[in-house]
Amino acid sequence: MNIPRTELPRVVIIGGGFAGMGLARKLLQEDVQMVLIDRNNYHTFQPLLYQVSTAGLEPDSIAYPLRKITRNSKNCFFRNAEVESIDADNQIIHTSIGEIVYDYLVIATGSKTNFFGNKSVESNAMWMKTVPQALNIRSLILENLEQAVIENDPEKRKALLNFVLVGAGPTGVELSGAIAELRNNIVPKDYPDLNPAEMNIHLLEGLDRVLPPMSEKSSEKAQKFLEDLGVKIHLNTMVQSYDGHLVTTNTDLTLKTETLVWSAGVTGAPVKGLNASALIEKANRYEVNAFNQVNGYENIFAIGDIAVMKTEEYPRGHPMVAQPAIQQGRHLAKNLKRIFKGEQLEPFNYFDKGSMATVGRNKAVVDIGKSTFGGFFAWFIWMFVHLWFLIGFRNRLVTFCNWVYNYINFDRAARLIIRPFKSNRENLEADQKKI
Amino acid sequence: MNIPRTELPRVVIIGGGFAGMGLARKLLQEDVQMVLIDRNNYHTFQPLLYQVSTAGLEPDSIAYPLRKITRNSKNCFFRNAEVESIDADNQIIHTSIGEIVYDYLVIATGSKTNFFGNKSVESNAMWMKTVPQALNIRSLILENLEQAVIENDPEKRKALLNFVLVGAGPTGVELSGAIAELRNNIVPKDYPDLNPAEMNIHLLEGLDRVLPPMSEKSSEKAQKFLEDLGVKIHLNTMVQSYDGHLVTTNTDLTLKTETLVWSAGVTGAPVKGLNASALIEKANRYEVNAFNQVNGYENIFAIGDIAVMKTEEYPRGHPMVAQPAIQQGRHLAKNLKRIFKGEQLEPFNYFDKGSMATVGRNKAVVDIGKSTFGGFFAWFIWMFVHLWFLIGFRNRLVTFCNWVYNYINFDRAARLIIRPFKSNRENLEADQKKI
């Protein structure tokens, strides 16, 4: 493995997402040997994946090379590998590139899409947790439009132009808004031989409002924004099956569609090998104490989506979003330093900075503390915050240029079918099936 | 096909490259029904593909949606399809989406990589005519570096770090320069556990100088620039075989490498169905007269790389580069208008604006007429000209931002393995094998 053992304690971090990065960046200048492992050689800024899917942004501007992080420290090593299992007794992890020894192990493997056991959906739906998956969705949307242009059968054309989004959390809301804007602003110009009225965007939600984790006021506003854009919202509606062509639900609603994007739930993505007591089975996530130590282990930590830290305010763990992950990562960096110095650990306290979601141009909702607001100002805040948290100056610059350009021109310049998905489905499903 | 036949003459253009786009853009506002067909939904700016391969640019900034061109005219239709054959007797082309009738047909299908019958090279080499192919090369370069980091066998590590470019035309020169800069500027920082001296870039050329189509002075300068960057140049050297691991040549030189990029020649990419006399068999290109009419046909034209117009100055046709293609496209637009008006056709005259190639930072060579120059000023001109010819304001803006960023920071920010090539070789070969 070529990583020399030194007298420094070795911290191995599995996963370069928000949690892993939050931790790694704070340990770079410390007296610690750090090994960061990820199956990709880049960090993905997941909150903007939907803009890659809908031709608003390039994939390269929401991804950041992990080696650009680790290069800033001579004691920090990056390994591009898949972790297979943990051997806690021997303090070793088994990976696709061999064994790696650790003194302290941090699991930051995040979450994956949850189909709740629905095999027909899992086999036929699209979902969006990674950059290649977002690119597949982009290709599919554009391929459907191209196919619709030459389809003379109105029923088949309608199915090609029906886009069904399942789950009205931020991802479902943002995607359906962005596809509706594609229909409203791009399709009439690019596809003069299509009737935009034949293109429909359906958003299905099992609960009784969109954006269930946000305030009721924000839900109402977001729903109004979506309806203004022409998204058809179906609340209290749960998908029962999808065979690739027909969606059936628990209500009378059935929809013919070639495109169903599933964003109705996530579940943890744990690693094999820890004791059964470490895992909360139903959630597939590790139970951790206030110091992010995994239940039953002293030198194994879990942070971010994969960790459930039960607190009074969050009896089922923190929300599975970026902020708790970043904060837990940063907090763990401090606690690890305390361990090295022989000091007492300090418990993690989540500082809720609020939550937000964007629906489209000038349309977003923000909850901060007890206050909530929507519209242009919220949308402006949303953009500012996302640019701020994007990693890397170049990414910020290119994203900013694209946003300004798209805003002025009502455009989405990246509507390119770089790798066709439909004709290539089996080949690209390898990407699709990962996480 | 849903394209209504009107009283307007119908011009069908196969291919949205430089030639097809040059023609289409000049016909948008004319009284003509135009059908533009391409297997991709975007135009590729091929001169900058090598920067996509070497992590300098995003794919999206050198591609331009073809529907953004055709949207500017109500008589212009785009079809995303593969052309299978031409039936000249019935004025029909057969495509992957059905038959399309034409009054005038313009073949602008360009060129494809020429392996000169060498099967071992064709099976194992990489090449770079399309965006997916450029992305595959990017992934392969980065995957080799990741693998080299964990490879303990020095022989195997050397093979992973040997990059062999065959053919010292502009593509080979630009790619080898860009990979050398990756080694010089990025590898020492990103891969502290690699020894950059173990990474070698070999450029092989069958003739006695690099950039054979340019002036001897430019060849000399380019060779010096490449040597300054540490590229190992092997002139008068022709590849005999490559089994995926070992390159053999007509000299003593053999090289162990995991990466051979073939840019030693191109050949035409004609469509089936025309009379044998239309095609110059050795070149796989159509023989055209001074009006770009294909030999033996009055209403079938060929422009760009696929056309050979024999003139006194160019007895074997114009160089297969962007300028003659753009100029022939624009000229044909004028001639078609003359046909519609019943006027006499005018012969094409190529205006040679000069040629240029870039080797790296501040290093380029330019030939204009009899004058030739190299260095910073040539490099500046090269950048300006490429930005100028890039299609689309957004593409120019984003490319400009990337160049400024990369220049100031000695960086290549897009070093992301979005779709791994090696582990996925068979799946991605579909892209690789196209054109």
Side-chain angles (χ1 to χ4, degrees):
Chain A
M1 293 302 311
N2 280 340
I3 306 176
R5 274 296 238 173
T6 62
E7 76 284 3
L8 295 175
R10 180 187 284 182
V11 177
V12 173
I13 306 170
I14 311 176
F18 285 113
M21 284 272 277
L23 168 61
R25 293 171 96 183
K26 292 288 174 192
L27 283 186
L28 289 174
Q29 305 311 331
E30 302 301 324
D31 283 336
V32 50
Q33 192 183 57
M34 182 163 55
V35 183
L36 177 62
I37 304 173
D38 199 290
R39 62 153 66 90
N40 294 314
N41 78 333
Y42 54 88
H43 164 81
T44 303
F45 191 74
Q46 290 188 345
L48 289 179
L49 274 180
Y50 83 96
Q51 297 210 0
V52 173
S53 295
T54 52
L57 287 178
E58 291 94 344
D60 307 53
S61 41
I62 66 154
Y64 191 82
L66 287 170
R67 284 193 178 274
K68 261 187 103 161
I69 305 290
T70 55
R71 65 150 73 168
N72 294 311
S73 157
K74 64 181 200 318
N75 292 323
C76 187
F77 298 82
F78 172 72
R79 288 295 179 265
N80 189 192
E82 194 106 21
V83 174
E84 287 153 5
S85 65
I86 302 168
D87 175 356
D89 291 339
N90 297 304
Q91 302 201 158
I92 282 174
I93 58 170
H94 299 279
T95 80
S96 56
I97 58 169
E99 294 178 352
I100 299 175
V101 177
Y102 64 82
D103 297 315
Y104 301 90
L105 179 66
V106 182
I107 308 174
T109 48
S111 58
K112 58 184 183 185
T113 303
N114 191 354
F115 298 95
F116 305 101
N118 192 324
K119 289 284 167 205
S120 74
V121 170
E122 188 169 353
S123 307
N124 298 298
M126 308 292 287
W127 58 97
M128 192 182 70
K129 290 286 281 182
T130 68
V131 174
Q133 288 166 5
L135 288 170
N136 288 346
I137 292 175
R138 181 203 285 186
S139 289
L140 181 61
I141 294 173
L142 295 166
E143 286 175 271
N144 282 345
L145 291 173
E146 291 298 335
Q147 236 180 300
V149 168
I150 56 165
E151 180 56 67
N152 291 320
D153 180 335
E155 278 301 299
K156 284 187 188 163
R157 196 165 60 231
K158 222 183 136 190
L160 286 164
L161 295 174
N162 254 350
F163 294 88
V164 177
L165 294 307
V166 184
T171 303
V173 165
E174 290 171 343
L175 253 182
S176 55
I179 298 175
E181 286 193 330
L182 263 184
R183 189 231 356 237
N184 302 349
N185 303 330
I186 307 288
V187 170
K189 289 185 231 162
D190 265 21
Y191 299 86
D193 25 14
L194 275 187
N195 177 1
E198 284 191 342
M199 180 166 167
N200 284 300
I201 296 105
H202 297 273
L203 178 61
L204 278 55
E205 167 59 46
L207 299 176
D208 61 353
R209 58 185 176 113
V210 304
L211 295 176
M214 293 187 72
S215 68
E216 292 202 14
K217 266 193 185 166
S218 286
S219 292
E220 266 169 51
K221 262 181 211 153
Q223 177 158 353
K224 195 183 165 307
F225 288 149
L226 286 166
E227 285 165 350
D228 289 350
L229 289 174
V231 174
K232 298 189 173 162
I233 299 172
H234 309 271
L235 299 174
N236 301 305
T237 304
M238 282 191 280
V239 168
Q240 281 179 336
S241 70
Y242 175 56
D243 63 1
H245 306 288
L246 184 76
V247 188
T248 64
T249 67
N250 63 332
T251 73
D252 285 348
L253 183 77
T254 60
L255 293 163
K256 282 189 186 164
T257 182
E258 298 281 304
T259 318
L260 182 144
V261 182
W262 183 262
S263 58
V266 290
T267 180
V271 186
K272 275 184 231 160
L274 295 195
N275 292 332
S277 65
L279 209 65
I280 299 175
E281 214 173 309
K282 215 182 143 190
N284 243 337
R285 298 161 73 195
Y286 295 113
E287 178 151 11
V288 299
N289 63 15
F291 317 119
N292 283 98
Q293 280 164 317
V294 173
N295 202 6
Y297 297 91
E298 225 175 54
N299 64 342
I300 301 183
F301 301 82
I303 51 178
D305 281 5
I306 191 67
V308 176
M309 186 188 292
K310 293 178 182 167
T311 66
E312 211 161 297
E313 207 184 340
Y314 301 98
R316 295 161 65 190
H318 300 99
M320 292 166 83
V321 294
Q323 270 305 319
I326 296 170
Q327 292 180 29
Q328 284 181 5
R330 290 181 182 167
H331 184 79
L332 181 56
K334 287 186 205 154
N335 267 339
L336 284 170
K337 284 187 259 177
R338 289 188 188 105
I339 290 178
F340 306 148
K341 287 186 204 152
E343 294 172 8
Q344 205 68 28
L345 296 187
E346 287 198 6
F348 172 72
N349 273 310
Y350 176 47
F351 174 61
D352 184 1
K353 293 187 178 169
S355 55
M356 49 177 75
T358 195
V359 181
R361 192 183 179 78
N362 305 345
K363 293 182 175 69
V365 288
V366 174
D367 289 345
I368 299 180
K370 294 232 177 319
S371 74
T372 167
F373 52 100
F376 178 79
F377 183 60
W379 174 78
F380 194 82
I381 299 271
W382 180 92
M383 288 211 301
F384 179 80
V385 167
H386 281 74
L387 273 186
W388 182 265
F389 277 99
L390 249 186
I391 293 170
F393 175 75
R394 190 202 69 106
N395 286 356
R396 285 183 196 144
L397 178 69
V398 171
T399 300
F400 179 74
C401 288
N402 273 298
W403 283 352
V404 171
Y405 174 87
N406 291 344
Y407 187 77
I408 295 174
N409 297 285
F410 288 81
D411 200 5
R412 302 278 180 77
R415 47 188 185 285
L416 314 162
I417 309 173
I418 299 277
R419 299 194 201 257
F421 180 73
K422 279 190 151 175
S423 56
N424 214 9
R425 186 162 199 136
E426 278 167 39
N427 293 341
L428 294 179
E429 286 211 335
D431 304 324
Q432 196 57 33
K433 294 306 175 201
K434 265 187 201 156
I435 287 283
Chain B
M1 296 303 311
N2 279 340
I3 305 176
R5 273 295 236 172
T6 63
E7 75 284 5
L8 296 176
R10 181 185 283 181
V11 177
V12 173
I13 306 169
I14 311 176
F18 284 113
M21 283 274 276
L23 168 60
R25 294 171 97 185
K26 292 289 174 193
L27 283 186
L28 288 174
Q29 304 311 330
E30 302 300 324
D31 283 336
V32 51
Q33 192 182 57
M34 181 162 58
V35 183
L36 177 62
I37 303 173
D38 200 289
R39 64 154 64 91
N40 293 316
N41 78 334
Y42 54 89
H43 165 81
T44 304
F45 192 75
Q46 290 187 347
L48 289 179
L49 275 180
Y50 83 95
Q51 296 209 1
V52 173
S53 295
T54 50
L57 286 177
E58 292 93 345
D60 307 53
S61 41
I62 65 153
Y64 191 81
L66 287 170
R67 285 193 176 274
K68 262 187 99 158
I69 305 290
T70 56
R71 65 149 71 168
N72 294 313
S73 157
K74 64 182 195 318
N75 293 323
C76 187
F77 297 83
F78 172 72
R79 288 293 179 265
N80 189 193
E82 194 106 19
V83 175
E84 287 151 6
S85 65
I86 302 169
D87 174 357
D89 292 339
N90 297 303
Q91 302 201 159
I92 281 174
I93 58 170
H94 298 278
T95 79
S96 55
I97 58 167
E99 294 179 351
I100 299 176
V101 178
Y102 65 82
D103 297 315
Y104 301 90
L105 179 66
V106 182
I107 307 174
T109 47
S111 59
K112 58 184 181 185
T113 303
N114 192 353
F115 298 94
F116 306 101
N118 192 324
K119 289 285 166 202
S120 74
V121 170
E122 188 170 352
S123 307
N124 298 300
M126 308 292 286
W127 58 96
M128 194 184 67
K129 291 285 282 183
T130 68
V131 173
Q133 287 166 5
L135 288 170
N136 288 346
I137 292 175
R138 182 203 285 185
S139 288
L140 181 60
I141 293 173
L142 295 168
E143 286 175 270
N144 283 344
L145 291 173
E146 290 298 336
Q147 236 181 301
V149 168
I150 56 166
E151 180 57 67
N152 291 321
D153 179 337
E155 278 301 301
K156 286 187 185 162
R157 196 167 59 232
K158 219 182 139 190
L160 286 164
L161 294 174
N162 253 352
F163 294 88
V164 177
L165 293 309
V166 184
T171 304
V173 166
E174 289 172 344
L175 253 182
S176 55
I179 298 175
E181 286 193 331
L182 263 185
R183 184 215 21 218
N184 302 349
N185 303 330
I186 307 287
V187 170
K189 288 185 230 162
D190 265 21
Y191 298 87
D193 24 16
L194 276 187
N195 177 2
E198 284 190 343
M199 179 167 167
N200 284 299
I201 297 105
H202 296 272
L203 179 61
L204 277 56
E205 167 60 45
L207 299 176
D208 62 352
R209 58 186 177 110
V210 303
L211 295 177
M214 292 188 71
S215 67
E216 290 201 19
K217 265 194 186 165
S218 286
S219 292
E220 264 170 52
K221 262 184 210 152
Q223 177 158 355
K224 193 181 167 304
F225 287 150
L226 286 166
E227 285 166 350
D228 288 350
L229 288 175
V231 174
K232 298 188 172 163
I233 300 172
H234 308 271
L235 300 173
N236 301 307
T237 304
M238 283 192 279
V239 168
Q240 281 179 335
S241 71
Y242 176 55
D243 62 2
H245 305 289
L246 184 77
V247 188
T248 64
T249 67
N250 63 333
T251 72
D252 285 346
L253 183 75
T254 59
L255 293 163
K256 283 190 185 161
T257 181
E258 297 282 305
T259 317
L260 182 144
V261 182
W262 182 263
S263 58
V266 291
T267 180
V271 186
K272 274 183 231 161
L274 295 194
N275 293 331
S277 65
L279 208 67
I280 298 174
E281 214 173 308
K282 215 181 143 192
N284 244 336
R285 299 161 73 194
Y286 295 113
E287 177 150 14
V288 298
N289 63 16
F291 317 119
N292 283 99
Q293 280 165 317
V294 173
N295 202 9
Y297 297 90
E298 227 176 51
N299 63 343
I300 301 183
F301 302 82
I303 50 178
D305 280 4
I306 191 66
V308 175
M309 185 188 292
K310 293 177 181 168
T311 66
E312 212 161 295
E313 204 182 343
Y314 300 98
R316 294 163 64 190
H318 300 99
M320 293 166 84
V321 294
Q323 271 305 319
I326 296 171
Q327 292 180 29
Q328 285 182 4
R330 289 180 183 170
H331 185 77
L332 181 56
K334 287 185 204 155
N335 267 339
L336 284 171
K337 284 186 259 178
R338 289 188 187 105
I339 291 178
F340 306 148
K341 288 187 204 152
E343 293 172 8
Q344 206 67 29
L345 296 187
E346 289 197 5
F348 171 75
N349 274 309
Y350 176 48
F351 174 61
D352 183 0
K353 293 186 178 169
S355 56
M356 49 178 77
T358 194
V359 181
R361 191 184 181 77
N362 305 344
K363 293 182 172 70
V365 289
V366 174
D367 288 346
I368 299 180
K370 294 230 177 320
S371 75
T372 168
F373 52 99
F376 178 79
F377 183 59
W379 174 79
F380 194 81
I381 299 270
W382 179 93
M383 287 213 299
F384 179 79
V385 167
H386 281 75
L387 270 186
W388 181 267
F389 277 98
L390 246 187
I391 293 173
F393 175 75
R394 189 202 70 105
N395 287 356
R396 287 183 196 144
L397 178 68
V398 171
T399 300
F400 180 74
C401 287
N402 274 298
W403 284 352
V404 171
Y405 174 86
N406 291 344
Y407 188 76
I408 294 174
N409 297 285
F410 289 80
D411 201 3
R412 302 278 179 77
R415 48 187 184 285
L416 313 162
I417 309 172
I418 300 276
R419 297 192 203 259
F421 180 74
K422 280 191 152 174
S423 55
N424 214 7
R425 186 162 201 137
E426 280 168 36
N427 293 339
L428 293 180
E429 287 212 334
D431 304 323
Q432 197 56 35
K433 294 306 174 200
K434 266 187 199 156
I435 289 283

